[in-house]
Amino acid sequence: MDNVSTVRIFNLLAFNETANYRAALFSATLVCYFAIVFLNVTVIMIIVLDESLHEPMYILVCVCCINGLYGSTGFYPKFLIDLLSSSQVISYSECLCQAFVMYSFVCSDTSILAVMAYDRYLAICQPLEYHSVMTKKKLSKLVCFSWLTPFCIFSINIMLTDRLIFCGTDIQRLFCVNWLIVKVACPGMDTLVNSAFAYTTLSIYIFHWIFIVWTYIYLVKSCVQSKKDKAKFMQTCVPHLISLVTFFVIVISDLMHMRFASNDVPQSFQNFVAIAVLFIPPVMNPLLYGFKLSKIRFIKTFFLNCK
């Protein structure tokens, strides 16, 4: 990127607390990353290869797992390299790229959860119209919306950041996020546009969460009145609901911590909050859907294939 800024390298200062146990942390992180790749690829392959799973609900699970791999790959390889390095630095262009991946991963996950909620609403509350409404063409459009919208939004976000001149080089995180990059811009730089666009983006995804909450409230009210709908809700919606609540708590905790946390909070706790969204959902989602959704249950399928 052709930026007039003389700052070409950023320091990731959050690694200072890891100096005494980097070998153990590297081993644990490597195992974690392999587990994320194995679990998500397993669910993806089962859904792709089994034609009986080519239904909207399972295709959305597949999309969710692909997004988990995308976000994890944007963080873990660089993190593992930094654990083995004497200095934890990242180039300006790599920092912007990583910030783009982190934000688009989180927002894509939010959009996918919104589409999942809409799919379950149709399947349970409007079962007779489900197949005519949730067609392959419409599903393709919704999936494209889930991915392309965050990519477009954060491309603009990164371009707005790229126009700034930077005087600071220190980022108090294990990885780059756009808000912290903007914070090290030189005094006097016009960051008002960045802030306005960031709050606009936040508003867009707040509406996603409002839609999801409204949908599940309506689903719960509808299912209480019917034993059949209640059984369907427990079987297909509970994994989505657990995934949703977990993801919501993690993201909100990270946002609140990044914006308002005191400097007195231990760095190790700050690091845990920062990487929770890159560890818990990518591990939990394939396990949750793999065990709970009867048509997948990849552990059972794996052992049957071994026989």
Side-chain angles (χ1 to χ4, degrees):
M1 296 182 184
D2 188 18
N3 193 304
V4 295
S5 170
T6 56
V7 174
R8 309 308 300 174
I9 298 289
F10 289 110
N11 302 310
L12 301 175
L13 299 185
F15 281 90
N16 294 341
E17 292 290 319
T18 66
N20 296 326
Y21 49 91
R22 282 185 188 166
L25 188 57
F26 176 86
S27 301
T29 303
L30 189 61
V31 170
C32 174
Y33 185 47
F34 279 144
I36 289 171
V37 172
F38 172 76
L39 293 171
N40 284 279
V41 169
T42 300
V43 172
I44 292 167
M45 292 304 296
I46 288 171
I47 294 172
V48 169
L49 296 176
D50 190 343
E51 290 188 6
S52 68
L53 298 177
H54 293 179
E55 302 173 10
M57 180 174 68
Y58 299 106
I59 291 172
L60 290 171
V61 169
C62 183
V63 171
C64 185
C65 291
I66 292 171
N67 195 57
L69 288 174
Y70 164 70
S72 301
T73 303
F75 168 71
Y76 283 99
K78 177 66 171 71
F79 181 65
L80 288 166
I81 292 170
D82 284 336
L83 288 173
L84 297 178
S85 303
S86 56
S87 60
Q88 291 71 42
V89 297
I90 186 169
S91 71
Y92 173 73
S93 57
E94 287 176 336
C95 193
L96 289 184
C97 182
Q98 190 176 58
F100 173 83
V101 172
M102 295 299 102
Y103 279 103
S104 58
F105 156 68
V106 171
C107 290
S108 292
D109 237 22
T110 304
S111 296
I112 292 165
L113 287 169
V115 176
M116 283 182 166
Y118 175 64
D119 174 72
R120 289 301 85 203
Y121 163 77
L122 289 176
I124 293 175
C125 299
Q126 300 182 20
L128 299 178
E129 302 173 20
Y130 177 72
H131 291 291
S132 61
V133 175
M134 188 59 79
T135 60
K136 289 183 179 180
K137 185 177 180 180
K138 184 165 187 177
L139 180 63
S140 300
K141 289 180 179 179
L142 289 171
V143 170
C144 288
F145 162 79
S146 301
W147 276 333
L148 295 181
T149 302
F151 287 0
C152 293
I153 289 173
F154 289 105
S155 293
I156 298 171
N157 227 316
I158 295 302
M159 285 190 286
L160 289 173
T161 301
D162 189 42
R163 70 189 173 83
L164 302 175
I165 298 174
F166 301 97
C167 293
T169 59
D170 295 338
I171 295 179
Q172 197 67 41
R173 275 235 161 177
L174 297 170
F175 55 89
C176 292
V177 291
N178 192 56
W179 183 70
L180 294 180
I181 300 173
V182 173
K183 277 188 69 176
V184 297
C186 293
M189 290 301 300
D190 179 18
T191 60
L192 184 61
V193 177
N194 296 72
S195 298
F197 195 81
Y199 283 114
T200 301
T201 304
L202 184 61
S203 300
I204 292 171
Y205 287 96
I206 286 173
F207 280 114
H208 278 60
W209 287 109
I210 292 171
F211 170 78
I212 293 169
V213 171
W214 175 85
T215 302
Y216 273 101
I217 289 173
Y218 192 87
L219 275 168
V220 170
K221 286 182 177 179
S222 301
C223 292
V224 168
Q225 301 170 4
S226 168
K227 289 185 178 180
K228 184 179 178 181
D229 287 344
K230 186 177 180 180
K232 186 182 285 189
F233 178 87
M234 293 301 294
Q235 182 182 7
T236 63
C237 293
V238 168
H240 300 161
L241 200 53
I242 295 172
S243 177
L244 169 68
V245 172
T246 304
F247 188 73
F248 178 79
V249 170
I250 290 170
V251 170
I252 293 300
S253 299
D254 188 33
L255 284 173
M256 296 297 290
H257 173 265
M258 187 164 56
R259 296 278 178 166
F260 306 113
S262 168
N263 292 329
D264 296 331
V265 176
Q267 185 65 55
S268 56
F269 178 76
Q270 295 182 44
N271 291 344
F272 173 77
V273 172
I275 66 172
V277 72
L278 295 158
F279 168 67
I280 297 175
V283 170
M284 183 188 72
N285 287 342
L287 287 174
L288 191 63
Y289 296 125
F291 279 117
K292 186 65 181 175
L293 297 180
S294 57
K295 281 192 177 181
I296 299 181
R297 290 193 180 159
F298 64 83
I299 298 296
K300 179 181 178 181
T301 306
F302 176 77
F303 284 113
L304 286 175
N305 289 338
C306 287
K307 291 180 180 179

